[in-house]
Amino acid sequence: MHCSPHPSKNSVISIFGISGLKMIEKGDDIASLICDCTTLLPGDIITIASTIISKSQGYTRDLSSIVPSSDAVRIAAMCGEDPAFMQVVLDESVDVVLEAPFTLTEIACGHIGVRSGVDNSNVQDGIVLYLPPDPMEEAKKLHDAFLTCTGAEVGVIITDTCGRAFRRGQVGHAIGWHGMAAIRDFRGDTDLFGRILEITEEAVVDEIAGFANFVMGESNAGIPAVVFRGCTPWNGHNSLYFSKNDDIIRNALKNTIDNHQGAPDK
């Protein structure tokens, strides 16, 4: 049996990491540095680790200057964390979904992650990075900067690594994007048997971010940006996050906290 690709439905996608970037410091122009290391083409999607954006924008805190609140001390004790570190986590959060055994929080952009995405890896001792407060705006600014320096209209996805419910291991997630829809919406389309799809929505930006993280690595690979070339454009929408009323897991975890705090002492 001979199988051949269907030219309208299959594309060849090439993926390559951008190495050779300097150690990013506050004030660095990430778009220019990337453009010096590679050539971007129209239609490319470039994924960029939030870590280097936080470094370039100065989204850092010095733990030695932080006085932890009573809540930070209490939660840090339950999780085995540094109270000053926990204070940064709380400062960056707009809602605490779960306090322990790890702290799960929502940040201003709607992203929910462990410890507000605050990170102390790949920075000097005593310094922590926090996520860009408005990653969607950061993605737009990078998109515009790439257009200026290359003339190419490219998509931009800002990534962070997160754990997942029900499974071990971290994967890359999109926390900001520009130039594409977050969700590829198949609702109203038909399957192979002509049945109308009613609920199928594909989180394409997360799928791309997940593979980008595989290329970037999590330790000392030194590849903070990955280019995807040849992705077929898709239609959809940007409602990546559930509303609070629709998020079943979030509400269950919140109820766990409320029931624990409201339970009488024994």
Side-chain angles (χ1 to χ4, degrees):
M1 180 178 179
H2 175 69
C3 297
S4 60
H6 191 298
S8 65
K9 292 186 177 181
N10 291 273
S11 59
V12 176
I13 299 174
S14 57
I15 302 165
F16 56 92
I18 299 175
S19 58
L21 290 172
K22 66 183 286 289
M23 187 71 71
I24 300 299
E25 300 173 332
K26 184 177 179 179
D28 281 341
D29 186 334
I30 291 175
S32 293
L33 291 172
I34 289 175
C35 288
D36 288 342
C37 290
T38 192
T39 299
L40 297 176
L41 302 179
D44 284 352
I45 296 174
I46 181 165
T47 60
I48 301 174
S50 61
T51 302
I52 66 169
I53 296 173
S54 293
K55 287 182 177 181
S56 70
Q57 298 294 331
Y59 298 140
T60 64
R61 297 282 299 274
D62 184 341
L63 294 182
S64 67
S65 66
I66 295 172
V67 178
S69 65
S70 58
D71 275 343
V73 172
R74 177 179 59 83
I75 298 173
M78 291 191 294
C79 299
E81 298 279 8
D82 176 2
F85 182 94
M86 186 57 64
Q87 186 60 56
V88 181
V89 171
L90 296 180
D91 289 345
E92 293 306 308
S93 70
V94 296
D95 190 23
V96 177
V97 180
L98 185 69
E99 291 184 345
F102 55 86
T103 308
L104 189 66
T105 53
E106 179 187 4
I107 60 176
C109 68
H111 175 67
I112 294 177
V114 174
R115 305 188 303 183
S116 301
V118 178
D119 193 7
N120 59 2
S121 60
N122 292 316
V123 289
Q124 57 266 49
D125 289 342
I127 303 296
V128 294
L129 297 170
Y130 57 92
L131 293 175
D134 190 348
M136 296 294 283
E137 179 62 23
E138 298 286 354
K140 182 182 184 304
K141 288 192 295 186
L142 284 165
H143 163 273
D144 294 347
F146 287 129
L147 182 61
T148 298
C149 69
T150 69
E153 189 82 34
V154 301
V156 177
I157 299 175
I158 296 173
T159 71
D160 188 43
T161 52
C162 304
R164 303 160 295 159
F166 313 118
R167 290 176 181 263
R168 289 185 183 275
Q170 292 187 316
V171 297
H173 284 65
I175 62 169
W177 57 91
H178 190 82
M180 78 289 288
I183 299 286
R184 184 180 182 185
D185 195 346
F186 287 96
R187 292 174 298 178
D189 202 351
T190 56
D191 67 10
L192 292 173
F193 297 93
R195 290 185 290 262
I196 295 177
L197 301 175
E198 297 181 354
I199 62 173
T200 305
E201 297 174 279
E202 180 185 11
V204 183
V205 291
D206 282 339
E207 292 176 323
I208 294 173
F211 198 89
N213 192 71
F214 176 73
V215 178
M216 291 177 184
E218 276 293 301
S219 55
N220 58 5
I223 302 175
V226 177
V227 175
F228 289 71
R229 180 165 294 160
C231 295
T232 302
W234 62 91
N235 295 317
H237 59 80
N238 282 326
S239 299
L240 186 62
Y241 300 113
F242 282 120
S243 69
K244 289 185 179 181
N245 290 335
D246 293 334
D247 194 334
I248 296 172
I249 295 177
R250 176 200 183 106
N251 290 330
L253 291 173
K254 289 286 286 184
N255 287 336
T256 298
I257 291 179
D258 294 341
N259 291 337
H260 173 73
Q261 292 179 341
D265 296 333
K266 294 182 180 181

